[in-house]
Amino acid sequence: MTGTLSISERQVGLALAVALTLLGLVMAAAARQGPMAVHGAIAAALGLALVFRLGGALYDPEVPAGRRQRFYDAPTRFGIALTVIWAIIGMGVGVWVAALLYWPEATPPWPWTSFGRLRPVHTTGVIFGFGGNALIATSFHVLQRTARARLADSISPWAVLIGFNLFCIWAVTGYLMGSTQSKEYAEAEWYADLWLVVVWVTYFVLYMRTLARRAEPHIYVANWYYLAFILVVAMLHIVNNLALPVSLAGARSFPIWAGVQDAMVQWWYGHNAVAFFLTAGFLGMLYYFLPVRSGRPIWSYRLSIVSFWGIVFFYIWVGSHHLHYTALPYWVQTLGMTFSVMLLIPSWASAGNAIATLNGAWHKVRDDATLRFMFVAAVFYGLSTFEGSFLAIRPVNSLSHYTDWTVGHVHSGTLGWVAMIIFGAIYTLAPQLSGRETMAWPRAVEWHFWLAVTGALIYVVALWNAGITQGLMWRSYDDNGALSYSFLQSVMAMAPYYLMRTIGGALFLSGAILCALNTRATMRRATGAVRAWDRPLVPGPAE
Amino acid sequence: MLRLHYNLEKLSMGMVVGIIVAASIGGAVEIAPLFTIDETVVAPDDLRPHTPLELAGREIFIREGCYACHSQMVRSLADEIDRYGPYSLAGESAWDHPMLWGSKRTGPDLARIGGKYSDAWHVAHLLDPRSVVPASIMPAYPWLTRSLDTRVLPGALATLAVLGVPYSEAMIDRAETDALAQSRPDSDAAEDVLARYGDAVALRSFDGDPSRLTELDALVAYLQSIGTLTAAAQEELEEAGK
Ligand code: HEM
Ligand code: HEM
């Protein structure tokens, strides 16, 4: 990090690190005990580590001239390392909580190891840690390449990555200590939420400033998606997390929303976290890395326009499909259902556009596991959106809601689509950023591919069975008009599926570990060579 | 159209505004009316707020992530009404910051759990679920026997009062004593709890040990109160049955 910063940038960085240390100390001193004090201490420790790192390098030689003629890839490399680390943490906890559902006696007697506290560690770890770092890291890369301009400055990319990861660490350690807002995918407490807003604004400003410097008149499709991801996530995050802290010196707060309004705001947020975090951003990734890897332009420009605006406009309406038959007014449910079905059109347009792009490159898909990751991602994207639109239909949802079918759907989207496209992007980026032709262990990519596909299929098929079984058991009546099964019978029926899911998840996790080791080996064997064409037309700002 | 977009793509601010507008409409149409229509804003007449002890229990419910496995929302479907009881109404959770409707039933719905089991059953079940339900996959919560920290309660009630939950000055000031008194029916302060929160409030030592106020006391008091804060759902179902 320090080697790529000029002396004056190191000074600014040092000032920011001191500020972070002070912020941490103030938090810790104000709270004195409990989660907020621990979080203050974590921030102070991180700030102090950065102070030493930057301070120690303050009088190192100035960066070599000519840096402005290069893209700035060091933050992307750092982001990819964080991505694979969070992959192991998040999925490791996923496998563990999956095992706990099969084998609950394994829970150790410490509060922080309990299922209810670990489950959000899994969801936050994978969505924000694994997914979020992948999005930020790739967005820096894609933005520079498609704008043909170097990032607008060298400090804010680090501030974004380090700040975002501090948020993730605060969030997951908070849950372990029992500090949570209980809103799914938005469990972090108020000060972490505020912190994320600061980080996000920095990210947006960096993005816009770099775009403004672009050498291409047109903004490439991938950037539309990354922009939608940044903007709409900000909007959702702020509205859903509005809360009143009990005291400024404590973690606990109460959301300003209550009851049915809270439910609607929560799922407006929840489903659009799916839409703009887990879909839009990753479509941006797809629209860049798929053409690059396959060497073919996107099949239809027109279709990409239609699907982009379709997704941005339709998705916002669908949150209410999480609340069918509940106390939410009927007409809102109906709107959610209708738009969910219409959403299939832009979703399949995107998936179709991606798959049609591969026309004429099928031999590459056969031979190149990296491209195959992206192809499988597009297929799973098509499958899970079809499934989603189907589950949103009210009578279908009467069976599927509250069951493991939802969890199966979730993981067909996240394992099949999100994780696969990330792996495809990592295997494309890691060699390029290391000045190499291939990953350090090309064979391991092939292994990873099969582990991931097998793991995801086992997981998803097991939970389809589980969910449909549950749904049918809960609603079936015997000849006397009494319910046929007790709830407990439905719990007992789940055991084989939960075991299978754990095995599938373990296979998927092994693949991810292989990916992490392979990426590490690749980056360690970097040659430093830069391809002649991989240079900005617009150099960095004058120094 | 294509021409228009061709030009829009050259303007980063144009894309930003376009995205914000397109992504705001749906939410505005679906969410804003919920703050105006009677069906969603009127709380039932007989609704009472949680007592401090119950609120402390609710906080433990949130802390431990019970909501990850248990919903509190009976849908208006015949089998759910037969299995759990009257379907849930919007008004029942009018004062719930946050709502705990849940999205996954690894365990059964809890919206009608109040009064279904004895306190002793809950205590045994929470400390070791498999001691009462051998096939259960619910985690054990042995640490709930520790003492309840009541110091946060006045602040919590005051915050909720700002947000519109009808906690009076007296309720806020006496939150800590009320929490203790609810688990000590013989104490003088117990009468005050009834005066403030209504006669339907359960006064007893929920964990069976009146000498100590524990997290179990709070959590069981909360569980026993769920679904009993108003009779509106029961009445509506009877009305519909006629
Ligand atoms: C190693 C692979 C994985 C395993 C074994 C796994 C396991 C689990 C388990 C056991 C649950 C809780 C289900 C329940 O409460 O019944 C869960 C929930 C969830 N996981 Fe995973 N997971 C894995 C990977 C992922 C990935 C990569 C993502 C996202 C990128 C993800 C996102 C989620 C989400 C969003 C939920 C919440 C679902 C809901 O509330 O309906 N998981 N996972
Ligand atoms: C056309 C697109 C999609 C539609 C219409 C859709 C629809 C649905 C529906 C109806 C549910 C069940 C709600 C319930 O009964 O509680 C659901 C849950 C979910 N879906 Fe999708 N889905 C779509 C695509 C995706 C994709 C691509 C992903 C992941 C990358 C995803 C992730 C999730 C998650 C995380 C949940 C669980 C929320 C929770 O209960 O915690 N969905 N979706």
Side-chain angles (χ1 to χ4, degrees):
Chain A
M1 165 167 121
T2 50
T4 66
L5 296 176
S6 70
I7 291 185
S8 62
E9 284 162 354
R10 282 173 232 162
Q11 287 165 344
V12 177
L14 186 62
L16 290 174
V18 171
L20 177 62
T21 313
L22 291 178
L23 175 77
L25 290 176
V26 169
M27 276 173 65
R32 295 223 298 282
Q33 55 177 0
M36 194 172 171
V38 176
H39 287 162
I42 291 177
L46 176 65
L48 216 54
L50 288 168
V51 166
F52 280 115
R53 181 79 191 263
L54 286 158
L58 207 51
Y59 297 107
D60 285 0
E62 183 59 283
V63 269
R67 142 182 109 134
R68 293 170 51 223
Q69 313 298 335
R70 298 274 199 85
F71 288 123
Y72 193 27
D73 287 331
T76 307
R77 266 194 293 272
F78 179 59
I80 291 194
L82 290 167
T83 305
V84 294
I85 293 173
W86 278 107
I88 295 176
I89 300 174
M91 294 185 207
V93 177
V95 173
W96 175 241
V97 291
L100 286 184
L101 286 179
Y102 178 70
W103 191 31
E105 298 89 342
T107 313
W110 308 299
W112 58 273
T113 55
S114 182
F115 179 91
R117 298 191 188 195
L118 287 178
R119 190 187 193 270
V121 172
H122 164 59
T123 54
T124 302
V126 284
I127 298 178
F128 295 99
F130 172 56
N133 277 305
L135 285 169
I136 297 175
T138 57
S139 76
F140 290 159
H141 178 88
V142 173
L143 174 63
Q144 297 185 87
R145 279 4 179 238
T146 56
R148 316 219 36 214
R150 189 181 157 94
L151 285 178
D153 76 293
S154 306
I155 299 176
S156 41
W158 297 105
V160 170
L161 277 168
I162 295 174
F164 180 74
N165 282 279
L166 178 61
F167 166 80
C168 295
I169 293 172
W170 274 356
V172 298
T173 50
Y175 313 150
L176 296 178
M177 291 182 280
S179 168
T180 167
Q181 285 189 146
S182 86
K183 298 185 129 218
E184 261 192 287
Y185 320 129
E187 293 96 342
E189 276 292 358
W190 63 275
Y191 51 86
D193 291 335
L194 282 176
W195 175 256
L196 187 60
V197 172
V198 175
V199 171
W200 221 244
V201 169
T202 317
Y203 186 22
F204 176 66
V205 170
L206 171 66
Y207 210 92
M208 292 303 281
R209 282 172 62 216
T210 308
L211 262 188
R213 302 161 40 81
R214 70 188 179 278
E216 301 281 337
H218 285 272
I219 301 174
Y220 180 66
V221 195
N223 292 311
W224 313 346
Y225 283 98
Y226 280 118
L227 260 185
F229 149 67
I230 299 174
L231 286 168
V232 185
V233 166
M235 178 168 109
L236 299 166
H237 172 76
I238 293 173
V239 175
N240 188 44
N241 283 302
L242 288 175
L244 197 59
V246 172
S247 132
L248 289 180
R252 191 64 191 121
S253 69
F254 290 95
I256 69 164
W257 314 112
V260 67
Q261 290 89 351
D262 186 32
M264 187 59 224
V265 171
Q266 160 59 28
W267 289 112
W268 166 81
Y269 166 88
H271 206 84
N272 290 296
V274 168
F276 290 91
F277 212 103
L278 295 179
T279 298
F282 291 103
L283 281 172
M285 216 183 260
L286 179 83
Y287 272 110
Y288 179 80
F289 288 102
L290 185 79
V292 163
R293 189 75 188 189
S294 64
R296 304 195 49 91
I298 279 293
W299 183 64
S300 163
Y301 165 69
R302 214 180 272 235
L303 204 56
S304 60
I305 298 179
V306 174
S307 47
F308 175 73
W309 290 105
I311 284 179
V312 172
F313 179 71
F314 286 167
Y315 248 117
I316 285 288
W317 296 77
V318 307
S320 52
H321 67 218
H322 289 260
L323 300 167
H324 281 324
Y325 300 97
T326 65
L328 182 77
Y330 200 69
W331 62 268
V332 191
Q333 302 176 16
T334 309
L335 272 179
M337 169 169 84
T338 315
F339 275 86
S340 304
V341 175
M342 294 197 293
L343 190 56
L344 191 59
I345 298 165
S347 302
W348 272 30
S350 308
N353 209 354
I355 293 172
T357 299
L358 291 173
N359 249 339
W362 292 112
H363 60 286
K364 291 194 192 164
V365 178
R366 187 192 58 211
D367 298 337
D368 178 10
T370 305
L371 194 56
R372 231 179 296 134
F373 267 114
M374 299 187 204
F375 166 66
V376 171
V379 171
F380 265 104
Y381 178 65
L383 285 176
S384 56
T385 49
F386 176 78
E387 183 186 29
S389 296
F390 182 62
L391 292 177
I393 299 170
R394 211 186 269 110
V396 181
N397 197 265
S398 76
L399 180 93
S400 73
H401 188 56
Y402 293 136
T403 70
D404 276 300
W405 191 350
T406 307
V407 182
H409 160 69
V410 170
H411 288 86
S412 108
T414 54
L415 300 180
W417 154 237
V418 171
M420 298 281 186
I421 189 71
I422 295 179
F423 294 137
I426 291 181
Y427 287 134
T428 310
L429 265 183
Q432 189 185 338
L433 296 181
S434 314
R436 299 173 48 98
E437 285 305 313
T438 58
M439 294 293 290
W441 312 326
R443 298 280 307 151
V445 181
E446 192 71 39
W447 274 93
H448 180 191
F449 176 79
W450 290 109
L451 282 170
V453 170
T454 321
L457 284 176
I458 295 181
Y459 191 124
V460 173
V461 172
L463 287 202
W464 278 336
N465 282 300
I468 295 173
T469 308
Q470 260 170 338
L472 291 176
M473 286 177 86
W474 292 346
R475 64 159 55 169
S476 59
Y477 284 89
D478 61 19
D479 294 339
N480 304 324
L483 290 166
S484 309
Y485 302 99
S486 70
F487 192 90
L488 196 66
Q489 283 172 305
S490 77
V491 174
M492 289 153 74
M494 290 304 106
Y497 305 120
Y498 285 170
L499 179 61
M500 269 170 72
R501 181 251 302 269
T502 311
I503 295 172
L507 292 179
F508 200 90
L509 172 68
S510 333
I513 295 175
L514 212 52
C515 173
L517 296 175
N518 201 351
T519 306
R520 178 158 169 265
T522 308
M523 293 203 177
R524 290 212 155 173
R525 290 182 212 166
T527 64
V530 178
R531 289 168 193 148
W533 47 263
D534 198 18
R535 286 177 183 281
L537 290 180
V538 182
E543 280 157 2
Chain B
M1 269 315 269
L2 215 58
R3 184 90 234 141
L4 189 77
H5 203 271
Y6 189 78
N7 291 325
L8 181 66
E9 279 164 35
K10 294 185 193 162
L11 300 171
S12 49
M13 261 340 232
M15 291 297 289
V16 167
V17 173
I19 291 169
I20 293 180
V21 171
S24 300
I25 301 172
V29 171
E30 291 185 356
I31 298 175
L34 299 182
F35 290 92
T36 57
I37 48 186
D38 286 357
E39 181 189 350
T40 49
V41 294
V42 178
D45 295 334
D46 62 341
L47 184 65
R48 73 162 172 89
H50 286 294
T51 64
L53 188 63
E54 292 158 4
L55 186 71
R58 193 171 197 269
E59 293 290 288
I60 295 169
F61 191 91
I62 290 175
R63 182 188 80 195
E64 299 300 343
C66 311
Y67 60 84
C69 289
H70 291 288
S71 58
Q72 289 190 34
M73 170 49 61
V74 182
R75 295 180 296 168
S76 51
L77 296 168
D79 58 295
E80 300 218 350
I81 298 169
D82 287 343
R83 187 179 295 279
Y84 301 113
Y87 57 86
S88 304
L89 303 181
E92 284 183 272
S93 46
W95 295 334
D96 285 356
H97 298 262
M99 57 86 204
L100 293 174
W101 295 8
S103 68
K104 176 79 208 305
R105 279 185 191 151
T106 304
D109 189 277
L110 297 180
R112 305 284 170 243
I113 194 73
K116 182 175 168 190
Y117 297 105
S118 67
D119 296 344
W121 187 91
H122 280 299
V123 169
H125 185 248
L126 287 167
L127 294 179
D128 180 8
R130 277 157 293 284
S131 68
V132 273
V133 184
S136 178
I137 59 168
M138 175 163 144
Y141 294 91
W143 56 88
L144 292 177
T145 49
R146 64 189 175 199
S147 304
L148 181 71
D149 183 358
T150 56
R151 284 170 305 173
V152 290
L153 284 174
L157 262 69
T159 312
L160 287 169
V162 175
L163 296 174
V165 183
Y167 285 120
S168 65
E169 285 289 328
M171 288 169 167
I172 295 170
D173 292 343
R174 309 285 296 167
E176 287 190 70
T177 14
D178 282 354
L180 190 62
Q182 190 179 347
S183 73
R184 302 214 171 135
D186 308 330
S187 67
D188 298 337
E191 284 300 311
D192 297 345
V193 178
L194 296 186
R196 278 193 269 276
Y197 293 92
D199 293 335
V201 171
L203 295 181
R204 53 186 191 257
S205 170
F206 295 89
D207 68 354
D209 174 7
S211 69
R212 235 160 51 90
L213 185 62
T214 61
E215 296 196 338
L216 264 178
D217 275 313
L219 185 55
V220 175
Y222 170 62
L223 289 173
Q224 296 291 25
S225 79
I226 300 178
T228 68
L229 303 186
T230 162
Q234 185 65 44
E235 285 159 10
E236 164 134 345
L237 190 65
E238 281 160 13
E239 196 75 8
K242 274 182 207 150

